[in-house]
Amino acid sequence: MTQHEQDNQGAAQRPNKLSVNLTAADLGAVDAIVAQHRPFVRRHAVHLAALRLGLQELRANPERLIEQLQHECQRRSTRG
């Protein structure tokens, strides 16, 4: 049983909310995937799939988190 299935067992649960600020480039990438798979895919599905796939990747390769944080720090320092 996957973690997702375990999380959704039992009585109907209210989903938790998560807010994330996206760059225009990130939102454009999401929208490109949505456009490619219309009318069956919406932003929510892409966000959820990206989160779940990303969490799988980070569990398997935790060093990727540090790499991403370093990349983001460098991006921010060159931007300002």
Side-chain angles (χ1 to χ4, degrees), residues 32-50:
I33 293 170
V34 171
Q36 185 179 11
H37 297 285
R38 266 183 221 225
F40 306 106
V41 175
R42 300 194 188 279
R43 280 181 174 173
H44 176 80
V46 175
H47 296 171
L48 194 54

Side-chain angles (χ1 to χ4, degrees), residues 1-14 52:
M1 180 178 297
T2 68
Q3 183 65 44
H4 175 68
E5 291 167 333
Q6 291 173 6
D7 290 345
N8 289 316
Q9 273 187 332
Q13 297 174 331
R14 293 187 73 105
R52 289 180 178 156

Side-chain angles (χ1 to χ4, degrees), residues 37-72:
H37 297 285
R38 266 183 221 225
F40 306 106
V41 175
R42 300 194 188 279
R43 280 181 174 173
H44 176 80
V46 175
H47 296 171
L48 194 54
L51 176 66
R52 289 180 178 156
L53 291 168
L55 289 172
Q56 265 183 329
E57 175 63 22
L58 292 176
R59 279 194 290 276
N61 301 296
E63 69 280 0
R64 298 283 310 268
L65 176 60
I66 301 302
E67 291 169 7
Q68 182 61 33
L69 293 172
Q70 289 172 335
H71 175 75
E72 183 62 21

